[in-house]
Amino acid sequence: MRLIVFVVLAVSLLLLLGLLLRNKEARKRMSWFMLHAIGAFVVLYLVNSTGLGMDVEVAVNPLTLITVGLLGVPGLLGIVFLKMAVLL
């Protein structure tokens, strides 16, 4: 059963990517999003390695990458402040 679900998911993903890559505007937006996601990964890695002087560690997962990738510095600050609020 798991194999069937995996195959259906993989085929659906490939069809979606094929559809998106045919459209020039969609390619432009996907490349923009991937660039921001890579930048978000680097920024989150730097935050985790330096701790910003506050001993804060932010998990690097798809949700935080999307948040920081789309919102930029305000998204990063929001995640850091939420993490600090949870710890206190």
Side-chain angles (χ1 to χ4, degrees):
M1 184 66 180
R2 283 182 145 184
L3 181 62
I4 293 172
V5 171
F6 179 74
V7 168
V8 168
L9 181 65
V11 169
S12 298
L13 183 63
L14 287 174
L15 288 172
L16 179 64
L17 282 174
L19 203 68
L20 286 174
L21 290 177
R22 289 190 339 189
N23 187 346
K24 186 176 181 179
E25 182 67 26
R27 274 196 314 264
K28 183 177 164 185
R29 288 180 187 242
M30 264 189 356
S31 63
W32 177 87
F33 178 74
M34 292 305 285
L35 181 67
H36 280 257
I38 291 169
F41 175 77
V42 170
V43 168
L44 285 173
Y45 177 76
L46 291 174
V47 166
N48 284 338
S49 59
T50 62
L52 292 176
M54 298 176 283
D55 210 18
V56 175
E57 269 190 35
V58 178
V60 179
N61 56 39
L63 183 61
T64 57
L65 287 177
I66 290 171
T67 303
V68 176
L70 290 177
L71 299 178
V73 175
L76 175 65
L77 292 176
I79 289 174
V80 169
F81 288 138
L82 279 173
K83 180 73 172 192
M84 289 173 54
V86 169
L87 290 177
L88 297 177

